[in-house]
Amino acid sequence: MPGAAEHLDRILAEARGAIAGAESTQALAEIRAGFLGKKGSVSTVLRGIGDLAGAERAAVGKAANVTKGEIEALVAKRREALEGADQERVLAEHRLDVTLPGFAPPRGHLHPTSHIEREMCAFFTQMGYSIEDGPEVETDWNNFGGLNFPEDHPARDMQDTFFVPGGNVLRTHTSNVQIRAMTGQEPPFRFVCPGRVYRHDLDGTHYPMFHQIEAVCVDEQTTFADLKGTLFAFARHLFGESTDIRFRAHFFPFTEPSAELDIGWGGRWLEWGGCGMIHPRVLLNCGIDPERYQGFAFGMGIDRTAMIRWDIPNIQLLFDGDVRTAEQF
Ligand code: DAH
């Protein structure tokens, strides 16, 4: 077959051009079939060698197989390039920008009651007071009896106090800690006690559970002037330097004299807490000699303090767990 070599050269050149121009693996497969498939041009040459004479048959056969191998190699190389490009494109399309800022989860913060409680405690720990703790389920003695409440005192009445089966109560004030912390101990004492208390009461300014902080200072020379100075400093620390306080004579069984404490706020007097000089009988109940020691105590609502500080109109806003309220602080 004269010119077989040239024919194969032309086929190869043609294949080289077609393969280089293939734009997809699909197009490449079709081009390959055009040369190497059953009816492809190289296959046709190979099929024709049967008609050739011996020597020529071997030469053309060999040349055709070489061409076939070269075309296969060109196809393989081009396929690799096309597949690589495909992958690049997919990667480019689905690119993930790891430098984009993430979605920040919402951050919580302290409840206003916790916030003011910490501030109130910090004021006292700074002055050398310790922090005492007491249980919310309390004996009648620690909540009432030891604090000099007579048996028939109205505060023991069913309307105020939650009674627990077995004779205990849910403590109605943090004053129970006076008895707990002082009994069997030797003064001087300086401590505060924040905590939950319970009363059968519910309206805009009362809730059945609320928080109080109790403060006690006992030494040989502690006077009402110390009480007054401490409360002035405390109020001004919490509400501002020009804050005024006022004492209104009052009665508590566990203090003598006793006063209710008002704070000047927004041009009015708001009731803030109770205070007084610890009654000698309370000291005696704790095993302390009232001839030698005397001291003051006071207690106020922590929630009430938060309400004053941030002008919160209703105590229930503090306890209904609505994040719209909490988020404002
Ligand atoms: N325990 C009183 C109450 O809950 C508040 C109080 C008044 C506490 C006078 C005191 C005090 O320590 O001296 O209403």
Side-chain angles (χ1 to χ4, degrees):
M1 191 164 112
E6 290 80 6
H7 182 52
L8 284 168
D9 281 349
R10 243 182 287 118
I11 289 175
L12 183 58
E14 198 185 314
R16 188 169 275 127
I19 290 165
E23 292 295 354
S24 68
T25 49
Q26 172 67 21
L28 183 64
E30 282 162 20
I31 290 164
R32 181 186 173 280
F35 294 98
L36 307 181
K38 263 197 197 120
K39 293 178 183 157
S41 46
V42 177
S43 311
T44 306
V45 172
L46 280 167
R47 248 197 323 275
I49 60 174
D51 302 333
L52 300 177
E56 205 187 356
R57 180 192 301 175
V60 173
K62 197 178 163 196
N65 273 320
V66 168
T67 303
K68 183 178 170 181
E70 282 176 18
I71 293 175
E72 285 289 22
L74 288 168
V75 167
K77 210 168 153 208
R78 182 67 189 149
R79 184 183 297 125
E80 210 174 286
L82 286 172
E83 281 172 356
D86 273 357
Q87 217 167 51
E88 291 289 315
R89 189 164 39 72
V90 170
L91 285 177
E93 261 173 28
H94 298 270
R95 195 180 145 80
L96 188 68
D97 185 351
V98 294
T99 67
L100 282 175
F103 297 102
R107 271 181 66 179
H109 59 79
L110 288 180
H111 187 277
T113 301
S114 306
H115 185 102
I116 202 86
E117 179 182 307
R118 290 190 186 189
E119 226 179 282
M120 293 168 100
C121 287
F123 175 83
F124 285 103
T125 52
Q126 240 165 260
M127 297 200 303
Y129 283 61
S130 63
I131 294 183
E132 300 293 332
D133 200 10
E136 291 165 32
V137 176
E138 185 54 288
T139 61
D140 182 86
W141 174 257
N142 288 333
N143 194 83
F144 292 127
L147 288 163
N148 199 32
F149 278 82
E151 276 303 327
D152 57 354
H153 194 280
R156 294 182 174 211
D157 196 274
M158 293 295 291
Q159 284 176 6
D160 291 309
T161 308
F162 289 110
F163 291 90
V164 176
N168 290 330
V169 299
L170 294 185
R171 68 172 171 190
T172 57
H173 50 188
T174 44
S175 303
N176 67 324
V177 179
Q178 293 192 22
I179 306 303
R180 289 191 161 261
M182 294 197 296
T183 298
Q185 305 294 320
E186 191 65 21
F189 300 127
R190 276 202 303 271
F191 61 82
V192 291
C193 166
R196 289 196 181 110
V197 302
Y198 300 86
R199 282 184 208 175
H200 196 285
D201 222 344
L202 184 61
D203 60 36
T205 50
H206 297 90
Y207 204 74
M209 183 285 298
F210 59 105
H211 301 81
Q212 280 189 339
I213 187 167
E214 190 85 6
V216 168
C217 179
V218 178
D219 208 337
E220 293 184 355
Q221 315 264 340
T222 309
T223 66
F224 202 98
D226 296 317
L227 169 62
K228 197 173 161 187
T230 304
L231 282 169
F232 258 106
F234 190 32
R236 290 178 174 174
H237 173 76
L238 291 172
F239 303 115
E241 273 312 305
S242 56
T243 309
D244 256 335
I245 57 171
R246 172 176 86 170
F247 295 85
R248 253 185 307 108
H250 197 72
F251 171 79
F252 295 107
F254 40 95
T255 40
E256 183 58 37
S258 306
E260 269 196 327
L261 182 63
D262 295 336
I263 147 162
W265 188 252
R268 318 171 270 159
W269 290 105
L270 299 177
E271 193 186 318
W272 189 29
C275 64
M277 297 305 288
I278 297 174
H279 199 291
R281 211 168 296 145
V282 172
L283 294 174
L284 271 179
N285 286 342
C286 297
I288 296 162
D289 178 7
E291 297 297 327
R292 181 169 170 201
Y293 292 109
Q294 58 186 35
F296 66 76
F298 61 87
M300 67 262 304
I302 297 177
D303 319 285
R304 170 140 264 259
T305 306
M307 289 169 74
I308 295 172
R309 166 82 161 262
W310 290 298
D311 273 323
I312 301 167
N314 189 316
I315 193 170
Q316 296 191 29
L317 288 169
L318 287 174
F319 297 133
D320 64 10
D322 191 328
V323 289
R324 289 172 303 182
T325 308
E327 276 168 354
Q328 293 176 39
F329 296 92

